[in-house]
Amino acid sequence: MSRALIIGAGGVAGVVIHKCCQNSEVFTDICIASRTKAKCDKFKEELQGKTKTNITTAQVNADNVPELVALMKEYKPDICINVALPYQDLHIMDACLECKVDYLDTANYEPEDTAKFEYSWQWAYRERFEKAGITAVLGSGFDPGVTGVFCAYAQKHYFDEINYIDILDCNGGDHGYPFATNFNPEINIREVSAKGSYIQDGKWVETEPMEIKRVYNFDQVGEKDMYLLHHEELESLALNIKGIKRIRFFMTFGQSYLTHLKCLENVGMTSIEPIMYEGKEIVPLQFLKAVLPDPASLGPRTKGKTNIGCIFQGKKDGKDKTYYVYNVCDHQECYKEVGSQAISYTTGVPAMIGAMMVLTGKWKKPGVYNVEEFDPDPFMEALNKWGLPWTENFNPVLVD
Ligand code: NDP
């Protein structure tokens, strides 16, 4: 008997909701709460009668802590799954502290007015969560999320020390639009237009956006251009995995996406600095989000596969060792199963699994943790069961 409060009703939330309803032995009750209640009600209408999970819905502004507290006091959830936007993370954590509710998210906190991606704000809650006896799991999507679990699994089973990690995120899907983003456009464009960075010998090395390019031949997708990006999990993995000398993150982009992004940047459309327009203050990036296709609408159009995983180099019993573990996910199969494309699917499934880990006691420990700090084995087993099976390769082609 577990009650989950799911905050947000967008692309990722849709997958979390479907997956919780498939797993009604663990998720006996869910409450879908978001800014726009009609979106929550739509999920309820679609799923009620097809699942044993009891579904309720609510309107909530997740930037308003007293509103969140009132909802939690009324619904009494065992866990709160935050799949709203990164801007809401701290407010939701504050409410969880007040109501003693476990917490899980898929993206680290970002202040809305600065593109600053780091865990410091959320790690500052550690002691308070410990004292309250509640668990916070940070970043339980795919990347961050499954990539961190892959690292913990490699460390536990295959290496004495891991010296190099390359995280490769390939989206071989085609939605047919000249330019669209696969998840929230504002969050996505903030991420890809920021400076790149990686960790070398314990220090951040900064690059210009998209400065470092490599080509990689991905299983079931083929050869793709990929670019080095800053990504939040590098910060926690460099601390939590033993022996790291260098850790990098690469994401694939097609030429059309990059050309459009460059033009939009050149004319100031990706800026997060407010400007005055006809007497009203607007943020150009938020305006751009309003005119781009809604990522949730890409499901029926997107064809092809994603391939996301990690390549490790390190030592076992004094010998050099390499290991690659990845998942391949088909956009159309996801759409048939839950009505979403693979980017939302690969994020929503691990969010459900992470919540299940906490609810079943496997990942229940008071404090604030990144996923790689827990036992990876039950999570890895659940990935195979719940739609994200993984493949291992002990002789992979390396990136450099
Ligand atoms: P969407 O924009 O599709 O959905 C966000 C939802 O949050 C919307 O329903 C929105 O409401 C709701 N929301 C926004 N602000 C508030 C608020 N103040 N109060 C209540 N609800 C609010 O985003 P996605 O589903 O694409 O992304 C969800 C999260 O997943 C993001 O944090 C994103 O960064 C993360 N993500 C993580 C990945 C990973 O692998 N780790 C990959 C992809 C995404 P409304 O419907 O009214 O707009």
Side-chain angles (χ1 to χ4, degrees):
M1 286 280 291
S2 306
R3 296 165 79 78
L5 172 62
I6 299 167
I7 301 191
V12 175
V15 178
V16 174
I17 294 161
H18 275 86
K19 284 291 173 180
C20 289
C21 289
Q22 287 176 13
N23 190 3
S24 49
E25 271 181 31
V26 173
F27 297 89
T28 50
D29 297 84
I30 61 170
C31 174
I32 313 164
S34 192
R35 184 166 54 189
T36 313
K37 186 168 176 284
K39 291 191 189 174
C40 310
D41 292 336
K42 202 159 166 251
F43 285 120
K44 181 177 167 175
E45 269 163 42
E46 183 191 338
L47 286 159
Q48 219 171 26
K50 297 182 191 150
T51 173
K52 288 189 181 144
T53 303
N54 295 311
I55 307 171
T56 51
T57 62
Q59 199 278 329
V60 77
N61 173 6
D63 287 320
N64 183 324
V65 179
E67 248 185 58
L68 285 166
V69 168
L71 176 62
M72 287 185 192
K73 285 196 169 150
E74 190 198 330
Y75 187 67
K76 298 188 175 42
D78 300 296
I79 192 164
C80 176
I81 304 174
N82 167 16
V83 274
L85 296 179
Y87 315 135
Q88 278 84 53
D89 289 3
L90 302 187
H91 296 135
I92 299 176
M93 287 177 84
D94 284 333
C96 283
L97 264 177
E98 195 166 332
C99 302
K100 296 210 179 351
V101 171
D102 293 328
Y103 169 88
L104 177 139
D105 67 29
T106 66
N108 69 351
Y109 171 69
E110 281 170 43
E112 208 159 349
D113 54 355
T114 36
K116 199 170 164 201
F117 312 100
E118 57 181 56
Y119 279 113
S120 56
W121 290 282
Q122 289 182 280
W123 286 345
Y125 281 69
R126 274 179 185 148
E127 222 175 287
R128 278 174 285 163
F129 268 65
E130 262 172 46
K131 274 196 189 134
I134 52 173
T135 306
V137 180
L138 306 184
S140 190
F142 206 103
D143 44 342
V146 176
T147 50
V149 176
F150 283 168
C151 292
Y153 189 75
Q155 177 166 262
K156 181 172 174 184
H157 295 284
Y158 296 127
F159 289 91
D160 294 326
E161 60 178 271
I162 295 175
N163 306 125
Y164 300 97
I165 304 177
D166 280 325
I167 301 171
L168 310 190
D169 179 333
C170 163
N171 181 7
D174 183 6
H175 44 58
Y177 286 117
F179 186 77
T181 64
N182 292 295
F183 66 96
N184 186 289
E186 190 183 332
I187 305 296
N188 181 241
I189 291 172
R190 278 164 72 105
E191 180 178 287
V192 301
S193 51
K195 291 220 178 206
S197 65
Y198 59 98
I199 294 182
Q200 174 105 37
D201 300 322
K203 293 196 190 77
W204 286 104
V205 180
E206 205 167 76
T207 72
E208 288 308 309
M210 309 287 176
E211 184 187 332
I212 297 184
K213 174 184 162 185
R214 297 285 185 272
V215 178
Y216 199 81
N217 195 352
F218 290 91
D219 183 26
Q220 299 185 51
V221 175
E223 207 164 83
K224 290 275 168 196
D225 293 344
M226 60 182 192
Y227 297 83
L228 185 143
L229 296 188
H230 171 84
H231 225 244
E232 61 202 68
E233 68 262 48
L234 303 187
E235 188 187 7
S236 69
L237 289 169
L239 293 175
N240 293 326
I241 303 296
K242 282 178 278 172
I244 290 282
K245 291 183 181 149
R246 189 189 64 205
I247 173 162
R248 305 181 295 187
F249 180 96
F250 290 91
M251 190 177 271
T252 63
F253 293 101
Q255 202 45 54
S256 172
Y257 180 95
L258 292 178
T259 308
H260 279 79
L261 186 65
K262 191 90 223 137
C263 294
L264 291 165
E265 271 169 3
N266 285 345
V267 297
M269 280 305 298
T270 60
S271 167
I272 56 172
E273 294 294 326
I275 56 160
M276 293 306 290
Y277 176 71
E278 293 189 344
K280 194 173 180 295
E281 195 179 90
I282 63 162
V283 174
L285 181 57
Q286 286 171 1
F287 178 77
L288 176 61
K289 178 189 173 212
V291 296
L292 285 176
D294 177 358
S297 70
L298 302 179
R301 316 171 47 105
T302 308
K303 299 197 171 72
K305 292 178 181 175
T306 59
N307 175 326
I308 318 176
C310 307
I311 300 178
F312 302 94
Q313 293 170 261
K315 295 227 181 311
K316 179 75 182 173
D317 301 328
K319 289 195 196 120
D320 288 343
K321 181 162 188 170
T322 55
Y323 170 60
Y324 184 19
V325 54
Y326 57 88
N327 160 262
V328 175
C329 192
D330 186 296
H331 285 284
Q332 279 302 302
E333 279 175 24
C334 298
Y335 184 67
K336 272 186 230 139
E337 185 195 325
V338 298
S340 304
Q341 32 80 0
I343 304 300
S344 302
Y345 191 90
T346 53
T347 310
V349 173
M352 181 283 284
I353 294 174
M356 173 171 70
M357 294 293 112
V358 177
L359 292 171
T360 54
K362 296 186 177 84
W363 281 17
K364 173 84 187 152
K365 56 177 177 180
V368 174
Y369 299 97
N370 294 87
V371 290
E372 67 273 13
E373 295 177 85
F374 296 100
D375 181 6
D377 292 356
F379 194 107
M380 290 291 277
E381 207 182 302
L383 285 172
N384 284 331
K385 179 169 176 196
W386 292 101
L388 295 176
W390 36 278
T391 303
E392 298 179 302
N393 177 348
F394 291 89
N395 189 21
V397 174
L398 302 177
V399 173
D400 283 316

